[in-house]
């Protein structure tokens, strides 16, 4: 890989476009990149890295940092272009990072995305052909062509001497991290991790199986509770080798003991069952004897009570006998009582009816009353025609009244219609004229509305124009003030930064410690460190000045954006005000007067137009009313003609009815009153005749009932009817007496039966029974049986549980066999690759073993150059010896040919450390190049460290670097050392200034004289 051309624009400290011709620098083979601190030497290398990989080296790629130069003018894009040759392909890479740019429309800024271009030169046509604009495609293409990642490129091409000095002094772990990044031994580390993961997985499976096995053992211990085996449970942890055999042995012992306990429990249960059966028989015999003795005693007590109740039983039986005789007299008694009640009711009704009759009829018989009733009914029948005439006369009078009322209403309606129709034509003309006026006003209002809205918009735009004009003047004033403050803050920051850079040596000298290398030259000796002056500026002051400048810049940008927005709004308002106007731009007052006049005219027209609907409605209502009144007038005229004929017919009918009514009323006021009086007298006569007949019939039935009652009492054996009535009992009373007699007889029969039972008398002669003692003995036998049964069930459950759990344990042990074998095999491999196995004598990890081979190659390649730089004194060798308790594999020693001894690289002096690390870096570059597929690295950069060398060593180092030209390489040295400017003719100088840094290319005598 050879670099040809680099163009940097607005990148880092470079405000303008800077061009670096690597072809001119590389022609000498060795060139110098120098300049004051902070000028941007490292930024040139950052630009090369950014062009290739889209980012700068990791230490300078901080989160939120911007690659854009603060010196770049607005509108200039931050861009890096790199032309290089990789293999036989000449490529051009152009990259732009994400950055802020002014908006194309309006004010302010917008963020533009990062962009990438990749082109290839075609020698046949002499033109560049575009390959891709995709970040991902370009990144993959460059990484594949170069054969290195960004970290490898920064370590191999941009040789950072400080890193390799630390590499020389580092321990094996730190060396392993760097070599692992460069040679990508992640696959070997992945093998270690994979084996460790397999070991953990297999170990976890074995431990899980042992855990399940211990769980089964614990369950068997719980199931064997109470046995001797439960007192000595299985002890062990998951993963113990003999755990399975211990569990199976303990399970066999527990099962044998459980079966023995089960047999003993069966024997005990049989004995308990026999004892319970004997106790049950004794209890049944005691209970039977006690029951028979109790029955005999109870029968004696009941017989004594029956003897005491015999007189009462005889009295009740006699009452029942007399009641049965009286039942034969009961029907006659009922008939006599009913006849007596009917006679009393009929007598009362007859007296009440006679009280309402005239005095002459109070003692009249039923036949006389009926004859008078017939005469009155004949008289009432003669009044029917007169009543119909009376009803018709009333209806005729009402109809004549209605006709008179309707006649008056029709006369009023005819007069009202005539008056209204007399003024109809003038009224219709006025309403029609009102509708036409409202229609014209609507058209005028629409026309005025079309002129009013534009006038109001122009008035509002004029007011905005005047307001925005004042705001524009204020924004211009604020922008001028913000620019002045920004320029002042910028000059102040540049001045502070310049003063700090002038005294940066003194600031760095504060951190120097005797024996530690200098951050600039790498020397461990510090004979004359710089001192701070009175006007020295520290970093905090510079940061404060930069913060003030940043705030001033943000204020200026905001002011520019506000002014642009305000001017655009003002111009838009002026355009809207002048729309359609040829004359000079009108004022707000003129536009306001015009808008007010249009609004007044529009309001008047709109108000009048709003009456259109009401005017039309009024005209329509008037026309409907005209039609209704004409129709009503004609209908009234027709009703008047018809009513005259009807009134004449009613008058003739009324005369005939009056004659008939005079005949039917007689001495009464009306025919109805006459008929009502006759109907009331007929009803009284009918009622009186009926009550007389009923009273006579009731007296006859009462006499017959008395005769039948006397005869029935005599035949039943009673002296009088009253005596028979006294012996008669109610149904409930008789039922109660019969139940009491039946109960006495049933009790007497039951007592006789019990005393005659065969075993009762014999039981009474025996001693009293003891059922309580027999019950206690039976409960004790029952309790013993339950305990024996529970013990047998528990022993059977224990034995069954132990058998089942033992089978599960055997199954688990068989399943664990292959897993345990797999775990032993994987664990042995994992321990061997991790360096923890006793078989790995040097405790070297697999990745460390591979890196050790790479380190041997690097040490061999570096020794060839280190011998030349040290005049054949030093050689680097790899050591795999262990240091203390640490693992071996990545040790690095230096062999001193003068003493013949091998010692640690940390014992080298500052200058020796520099050229040793330089040799190591060059050797590493060769090995990484071969590792990357043999891609040639024709351009290298070495950053600092030459200040720690004496003249002779410096010459030898430069000779080694100059010898790289034999392999057609060019080496760029980044250094502050002044002696190098006299020794190296090809130089790239970085110059800093207030407007940003710039690069100068010097070659030959021009560079040496400068």
């Amino acid at each position: 890989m050879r670099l040809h051309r680099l163009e940097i624009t607005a990148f880092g400290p470079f405000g303008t476009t800077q061009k670096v011709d690597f072809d001119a620098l590389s022609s000498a083979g060795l060139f110098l990149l120098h300049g004051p601190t902070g000028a941007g030497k490292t930024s040139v290398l950052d630009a090369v890295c950014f062009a290739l990989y889209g980012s700068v080296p990791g230490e300078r790629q901080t989160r939120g940092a911007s690659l854009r130069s603060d010196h770049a003018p607005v509108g200039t894009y931050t861009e890096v272009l790199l032309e290089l040759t990789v293999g036989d392909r000449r490529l051009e890479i152009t990259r732009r990072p994400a950055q802020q740019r002014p908006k194309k429309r309006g004010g302010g800024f917008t963020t533009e995305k990062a962009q990438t271009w990749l082109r290839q030169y075609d020698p046949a046509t002499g033109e560049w052909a575009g390959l891709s604009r995709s970040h991902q495609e370009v990144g993959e293409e460059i990484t594949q062509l170069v054969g290195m990642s960004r970290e490898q490129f920064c370590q191999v091409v941009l040789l950072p001497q400080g890193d390799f000095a630390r590499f020389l002094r580092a321990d094996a772990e730190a060396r392993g991290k760097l070599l692992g990044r460069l040679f990508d031994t992640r696959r070997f580390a992945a093998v270690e991790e994979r084996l460790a993961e397999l070991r953990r997985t297999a170990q976890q499976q074995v431990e899980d199986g042992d855990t399940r096995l211990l769980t089964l053992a614990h369950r068997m211990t719980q199931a064997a509770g109470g046995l001797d085996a439960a007192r000595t449970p299985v002890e062990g942890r998951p993963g113990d080798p003999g755990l399975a055999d211990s569990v199976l042995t303990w399970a066999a012992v527990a099962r044998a003991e459980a079966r023995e306990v089960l047999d003993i429990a069966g024997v005990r249960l049989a004995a308990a069952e026999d004892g319970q059966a004997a106790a049950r028989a004794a209890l049944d015999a005691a209970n039977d004897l006690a029951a028979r003795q109790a029955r005999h005693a109870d029968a004696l007590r009941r017989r004594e009570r029956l003897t005491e109740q015999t007189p009462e039983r005889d009295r009740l039986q006699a009452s029942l006998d007399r009641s049965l005789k009286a039942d034969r007299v009961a029907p006659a008694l009922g008939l006599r009582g009913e006849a007596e009640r009917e006679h009393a009711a009929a007598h009362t009704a007859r007296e009440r009816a006679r009280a309402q009759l005239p005095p002459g009829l109070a003692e009249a018989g039923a036949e006389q009353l009926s004859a008078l009733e017939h005469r009155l009914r004949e008289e009432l029948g003669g009044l029917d025609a007169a009543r119909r005439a009376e009803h018709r006369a009333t209806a005729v009078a009402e109809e004549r009244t209605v006709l008179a009322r309707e006649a008056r209403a029709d006369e009023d309606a005819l007069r009202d219609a005539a008056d209204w129709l007399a003024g109809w034509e003038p009224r219709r003309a006025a309403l029609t004229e009102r509708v036409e006026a409202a229609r014209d006003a609507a058209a005028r209002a629409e026309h005025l509305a079309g002129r009013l809205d534009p006038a109001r918009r122009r008035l509002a735009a004029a007011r905005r124009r005047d307001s925005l004009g004042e705001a524009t003047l204020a924004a211009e004033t604020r922008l001028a003030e913000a620019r002045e403050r920004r320029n002042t803050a910028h000059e102040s920051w540049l001045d502070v930064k310049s003063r700090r850079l002038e005294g940066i040596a003194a600031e760095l000298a504060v951190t120097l410690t005797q024996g530690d290398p200098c951050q600039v030259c790498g020397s461990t000796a510090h004979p004359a460190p710089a001192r701070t002056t009175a006007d020295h500026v520290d970093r905090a002051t510079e940061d404060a000045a930069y913060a003030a400048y940043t705030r001033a810049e943000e204020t200026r940008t905001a002011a520019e954006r506000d002014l642009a927005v305000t001017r655009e709004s003002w111009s838009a308002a002026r355009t809207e005000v002048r729309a359609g106007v040829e004359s000079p731009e009108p004022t707000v007052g003129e536009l306001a007067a015009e808008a007010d006049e249009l609004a007044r005219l529009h309001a008047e027209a709109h108000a009048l137009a709003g009456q259109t609907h009401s005017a039309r409605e009024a005209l329509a209502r008037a026309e409907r009313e005209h039609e209704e009144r004409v129709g009503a007038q004609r209908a009234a005229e027709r009703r008047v003609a018809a009513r005259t004929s009807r009134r004449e017919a009613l008058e003739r009918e009324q005369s005939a009815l009056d004659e008939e009514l005079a005949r039917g009323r007689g001495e009464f006021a009306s025919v109805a009153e006459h008929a009502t009086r006759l109907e009331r007298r007929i009803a009284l006569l009918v009622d009186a005749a009926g009550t007389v007949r009923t009273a006579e019939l009731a007296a006859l039935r009462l006499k017959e009932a008395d005769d039948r009652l006397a005869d029935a009492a005599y035949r039943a054996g009673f002296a009088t009817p009253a005596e028979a009535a006294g012996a008669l009992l109610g149904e409930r009373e008789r039922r109660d007496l019969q139940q009491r007699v039946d109960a006495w007889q049933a009790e007497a029969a039951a007592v006789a039966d019990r005393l005659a039972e065969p075993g009762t008398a014999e039981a009474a002669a025996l001693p009293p029974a003891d059922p309580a003692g027999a019950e206690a003995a039976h409960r004790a036998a029952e309790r013993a049986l339950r305990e024996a049964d529970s013990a047998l069930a528990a022993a059977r459950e224990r034995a069954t549980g132990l058998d089942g759990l033992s089978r599960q344990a055997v199954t688990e042990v068989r399943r664990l066999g292959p897993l345990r074998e797999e775990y032993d095999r994987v664990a042995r491999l994992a321990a061997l690759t991790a360096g923890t196995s006793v078989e790995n004598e040097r405790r070297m990890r697999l990745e460390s073993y591979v890196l050790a081979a790479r380190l041997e190659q690097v040490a061999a390649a570096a020794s060839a150059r280190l011998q030349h730089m040290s005049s054949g004194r030093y050689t680097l060798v790899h050591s795999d010896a262990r240091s203390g308790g640490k693992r071996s594999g990545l040790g690095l020693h230096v062999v001193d040919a003068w003493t013949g001894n091998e010692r640690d690289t940390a014992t080298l002096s500052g200058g020796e450390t520099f050229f040793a690390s330089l040799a190591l870096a060059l050797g590493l570059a060769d090995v990484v190049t071969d590792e990357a597929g043999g891609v040639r690295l024709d351009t290298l950069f070495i950053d600092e460290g030459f200040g720690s060398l004496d003249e002779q060593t410096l010459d030898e180092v430069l000779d080694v670097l100059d010898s790289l030209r034999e392999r057609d390489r060019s080496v760029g040295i980044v250094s502050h050392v002044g002696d190098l400017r006299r020794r190296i003719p090809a130089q790239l100088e970085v110059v800093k200034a207030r407007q940003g840094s710039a690069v100068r290319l010097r070659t030959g005598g021009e560079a040496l004289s400068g």
Side-chain angles (χ1 to χ4, degrees):
M1 182 186 71
R2 177 178 294 278
L3 306 183
H4 298 292
R5 177 170 57 94
L6 176 68
E7 293 186 7
I8 309 173
T9 303
F11 184 88
F14 305 105
T16 58
T17 301
Q18 303 296 319
K19 298 181 179 179
V20 180
D21 188 355
F22 284 110
D23 287 337
L25 292 172
S26 301
S27 61
L30 192 65
F31 63 91
L32 178 66
L33 176 60
H34 69 95
T37 301
K41 300 185 295 299
T42 305
S43 296
V44 175
L45 308 184
D46 290 346
V48 173
C49 183
F50 176 75
L52 290 173
Y53 296 100
S55 60
V56 298
E59 293 79 2
R60 296 183 289 278
Q61 185 69 44
T62 57
R63 184 177 179 86
S66 174
L67 300 178
R68 181 170 177 79
S69 175
D70 295 333
H71 305 283
V74 177
T76 301
Y77 285 103
T78 298
E79 182 178 279
V80 176
L81 182 148
L82 177 64
E83 183 181 342
L84 72 160
T85 297
V86 182
D88 58 349
R89 300 176 63 183
R90 186 156 183 159
L91 303 174
E92 180 188 85
I93 308 171
T94 305
R95 288 187 187 269
R96 290 180 182 176
Q99 54 191 300
Q100 296 283 326
R101 66 164 177 80
K103 293 182 179 179
K104 295 181 180 180
R105 296 182 179 179
F109 293 84
T110 184
T111 300
E112 184 167 304
K113 297 181 179 179
Q115 302 181 58
T116 303
W117 294 268
L118 176 63
R119 301 196 300 172
Q120 180 174 344
Y121 182 74
D122 187 358
T125 61
E127 297 180 352
W128 291 91
L131 297 181
S132 177
R133 295 191 61 177
S134 168
H135 298 300
Q136 183 177 358
E137 291 179 358
V138 172
E140 293 175 352
E141 182 73 13
I142 295 300
T143 301
Q144 183 177 1
L145 290 174
V146 177
M148 288 181 286
S149 64
R150 187 193 69 175
E151 291 76 12
Q152 290 176 317
F153 179 84
C154 295
Q155 198 73 41
V156 174
V157 179
L158 311 179
L159 301 178
Q161 294 306 301
D163 288 352
F164 282 97
R166 286 191 295 273
F167 182 82
L168 285 173
R169 299 186 178 91
D171 56 11
E173 183 178 357
R175 288 195 184 107
K177 291 181 180 178
L178 175 61
L179 294 174
R181 292 197 303 270
L182 294 177
F183 293 106
D184 192 15
T185 57
R186 290 175 294 180
R187 60 186 182 278
F188 301 102
V191 170
E192 295 179 24
E193 294 177 0
R194 178 58 179 166
L195 287 174
E197 182 181 355
L198 290 175
R199 180 188 60 188
R200 289 191 296 269
T201 302
Q203 182 181 1
Q204 185 62 43
Q205 290 176 347
V206 171
E207 290 181 353
D208 290 345
D210 286 348
T211 301
R212 291 192 295 271
L213 196 58
L214 286 173
T215 301
L216 290 173
H218 179 66
R219 291 173 59 189
M220 285 190 288
T221 302
Q222 291 178 336
L227 301 179
D228 293 339
R231 301 188 183 93
T232 58
V234 178
E235 295 183 357
R237 293 181 301 176
D240 290 348
L243 181 62
D245 294 337
S246 299
V247 172
L248 294 180
T249 301
W250 185 93
V253 173
R255 288 199 306 275
E257 187 176 354
R259 293 192 187 99
E260 182 179 356
V261 172
L262 177 61
D263 295 339
I264 295 173
V267 173
R268 289 178 177 174
L269 177 62
E273 288 176 346
D274 295 340
Q276 189 268 347
R280 179 76 242 181
L283 176 62
D284 292 341
N287 287 336
D288 180 66
L289 179 59
R292 285 184 293 156
Q293 291 176 348
R295 287 172 61 83
H296 185 271
D298 181 64
L300 293 177
R301 288 191 299 271
R302 291 164 64 187
R303 187 175 60 182
E304 293 177 359
R305 284 198 302 271
L306 288 173
T307 302
E308 296 173 354
Q309 295 173 357
T310 299
E312 179 64 17
R313 179 259 176 193
D314 295 340
R315 185 184 64 78
L316 295 177
Q317 186 63 49
S319 298
L320 285 175
D321 293 340
R322 287 174 56 82
S323 174
L324 290 176
K325 293 180 180 180
D327 285 345
R328 295 195 294 268
V329 186
L333 286 171
L335 290 175
R336 201 275 175 186
E338 183 179 354
E340 185 177 9
R341 287 191 296 274
E342 290 179 357
H343 179 267
H347 179 74
T348 301
R350 185 186 62 183
E351 296 300 323
R352 184 170 55 252
R354 285 179 173 179
Q356 295 178 3
L357 293 175
L361 298 176
E363 297 299 331
E367 293 76 7
Q368 183 181 358
L369 293 174
S370 296
L372 181 58
E373 172 200 349
H374 290 311
R375 288 196 303 270
L376 293 178
R377 286 186 182 279
E378 291 175 357
E379 185 178 356
L380 178 61
L383 294 178
D384 288 342
R387 281 191 294 185
R388 288 193 298 271
E390 186 176 38
H391 291 160
R392 177 56 186 162
T394 302
V396 168
E398 291 177 354
E399 187 175 357
R400 292 178 64 186
T401 302
V402 170
L403 289 175
R405 185 168 56 251
E406 290 177 353
R408 290 192 298 272
D410 286 342
E411 289 175 0
D412 294 340
L414 290 173
R415 283 195 302 272
D416 184 56
D419 295 340
W420 192 90
L421 291 173
W424 164 241
E425 291 300 332
R427 184 179 181 188
R428 182 174 63 179
L431 291 173
T432 304
E433 182 179 357
R434 180 185 173 191
V435 170
E436 294 297 331
R439 186 181 298 113
D440 295 341
R444 189 166 62 257
E446 183 177 0
H447 174 70
L448 291 173
R451 295 176 57 193
L452 179 59
D453 288 341
R456 286 175 174 172
R457 288 195 296 270
R458 291 177 61 205
L459 174 59
R463 289 170 176 166
R464 290 198 306 274
R465 175 200 62 192
D466 296 348
S467 176
L468 290 171
E470 299 176 357
T472 301
L473 296 176
E476 291 174 349
T477 302
R478 289 195 298 273
L479 177 59
E481 294 174 353
R483 285 175 174 170
E484 184 64 25
R485 286 193 297 271
R486 183 264 181 195
N487 294 334
T488 302
H490 189 253
E491 292 177 359
S492 176
W493 170 57
L494 292 177
D495 179 64
V496 171
K497 185 175 183 180
S498 176
R499 287 161 55 197
R500 181 168 180 258
L501 292 176
E502 292 173 359
I504 195 66
E507 185 174 332
L508 294 174
V510 176
T511 62
L512 293 177
T513 303
Q514 194 65 29
D516 292 340
C518 175
Q519 299 180 13
V520 179
C521 64
S523 175
T524 57
H526 319 298
R531 300 284 186 258
T532 58
T533 60
D535 60 345
H536 175 67
V537 176
D538 57 6
R539 184 179 183 84
T541 305
E542 182 186 354
D543 292 343
Y546 179 72
Y549 160 65
T550 303
R551 290 193 298 272
E553 176 66 18
E554 293 174 353
T555 303
R556 179 193 64 78
T557 303
E560 287 181 348
R561 184 168 56 251
D562 293 344
L563 177 59
V565 172
T566 305
R567 282 177 174 172
E568 183 177 357
S569 300
W570 177 75
S571 177
R574 285 193 65 198
T575 302
E576 188 174 357
V577 170
R578 295 175 60 85
V581 178
E582 301 294 338
S583 60
E585 189 172 324
T587 64
V588 173
E590 294 172 350
L591 292 175
E594 180 183 357
D596 292 343
E597 179 63 19
L598 288 175
R600 184 185 63 78
L601 295 176
H602 176 265
E604 293 177 354
H606 186 269
L608 184 56
Q611 300 177 7
T612 302
H613 180 71
S614 61
R616 289 175 179 174
E617 288 292 326
L619 177 60
R621 285 195 303 270
E623 289 177 347
R624 286 195 300 270
E625 186 178 0
H626 174 263
E627 294 177 358
E628 292 173 357
R629 288 184 178 271
V630 171
Q633 185 182 32
R634 292 172 181 172
E637 291 174 349
R638 287 194 297 270
R639 288 195 302 271
V640 168
R643 193 179 300 112
T644 302
S645 300
R646 179 60 178 165
R647 185 169 52 248
E648 292 175 353
L650 290 175
E651 288 176 353
R652 289 193 297 271
E653 184 178 3
Q654 183 66 42
S655 299
L657 291 174
D658 289 341
E659 294 177 358
E660 186 174 356
L661 287 176
R663 290 192 300 268
R665 278 197 298 266
E667 59 183 2
F668 296 97
S670 65
V671 176
E673 182 182 354
H674 188 189
T676 301
R677 180 68 62 84
L678 289 176
E679 290 172 353
R680 188 179 301 116
R681 292 180 65 188
I682 291 171
L684 290 176
L685 292 174
V686 171
D687 183 55
T691 57
V692 170
R693 292 191 186 95
T694 302
E696 292 174 352
L697 184 59
L700 180 60
R701 283 201 297 269
L702 178 60
K703 184 178 183 305
E704 292 176 353
D706 286 337
D707 295 340
R708 285 195 295 271
L709 176 59
D711 184 58
Y714 176 77
R715 285 196 301 270
F718 293 102
T720 62
E723 183 182 355
L728 190 64
L729 295 176
E731 184 64 27
R732 182 175 180 181
E733 186 178 2
R734 181 187 299 170
R735 187 170 54 253
D736 182 59
L737 293 178
Q738 187 64 49
Q739 288 176 354
R740 291 169 67 184
V741 172
D742 293 342
W744 187 92
Q745 292 175 350
E747 179 68 10
V751 170
D753 291 341
R754 181 167 295 181
L755 291 175
E757 288 179 356
T760 303
E762 292 83 352
L766 296 175
D770 185 14
E775 178 66 25
H778 179 262
R779 283 199 299 268
E782 287 280 355
R783 185 165 55 253
L785 177 61
R786 287 195 300 271
E787 292 175 355
D789 186 62
S790 298
L792 178 62
R796 186 180 294 111
E797 182 179 2
R798 181 190 300 116
T800 303
L802 287 174
D803 290 341
L805 292 174
S806 296
R807 286 193 296 273
Q808 295 181 30
V810 171
T811 303
E812 188 64 33
V813 169
R814 290 174 181 171
R815 195 183 67 83
L816 275 175
L819 294 178
R820 193 177 296 277
E821 294 175 1
E822 175 69 13
Y823 166 69
D824 294 339
R825 182 177 63 83
V826 172
R828 180 172 175 272
L829 288 175
L832 190 62
T833 57
T836 59
S837 174
V838 294
E839 297 175 330
N840 191 334
E841 297 178 356
R842 298 187 180 278
R843 298 183 63 190
M844 186 182 296
R845 294 170 50 241
L846 177 62
E847 184 182 16
S848 299
Y849 179 78
V850 176
L851 291 177
R854 292 286 188 261
L855 185 58
E856 286 182 355
Q857 298 174 357
V858 172
S863 294
R865 294 183 175 85
L866 180 58
Q867 285 181 333
H868 190 285
M869 294 180 188
S870 62
S871 301
R873 179 180 179 182
Y874 295 120
T875 304
L876 289 175
V877 295
H878 161 253
S879 173
D880 56 6
R882 296 173 59 182
S883 176
K886 298 182 179 179
R887 300 179 183 180
S888 60
L890 297 179
L892 191 62
H893 290 174
V894 61
V895 178
D896 191 345
W898 290 3
T899 63
N901 294 330
E902 181 178 326
R903 55 192 173 97
D904 194 274
T905 54
T907 61
L908 296 174
S909 65
E912 292 171 342
T913 299
F914 167 72
F915 61 69
S917 61
L918 177 60
L920 186 64
L922 294 174
L924 182 62
D926 293 339
V927 175
V928 172
T929 300
D930 296 337
E931 177 73 14
V935 177
R936 287 181 52 83
L937 302 178
D938 298 322
T939 305
L940 299 177
F941 294 91
I942 302 175
D943 191 1
E944 288 298 349
F946 293 87
S948 60
L949 304 179
D950 55 26
E951 282 196 32
Q952 181 181 354
T953 305
L954 182 60
D955 289 338
E956 293 173 349
V957 170
L958 292 178
D959 288 343
V960 172
L961 296 178
D962 192 55
S963 67
L964 295 176
R965 288 185 298 176
E966 298 174 1
R967 301 177 63 181
D968 196 21
R969 283 184 176 178
S970 60
V971 179
I973 299 176
V974 183
S975 178
H976 294 85
V977 179
D979 192 33
L980 291 177
R981 291 197 290 272
R982 295 189 298 273
R983 293 171 180 265
I984 302 175
Q987 299 177 11
L988 180 65
E989 182 181 7
V990 183
V991 182
K992 66 179 180 179
R994 288 182 178 272
Q995 294 76 24
S997 298
V999 297
R1000 299 176 183 173
L1001 178 64
R1002 297 182 179 183
T1003 59
E1006 177 189 358
L1008 297 178
S1009 62

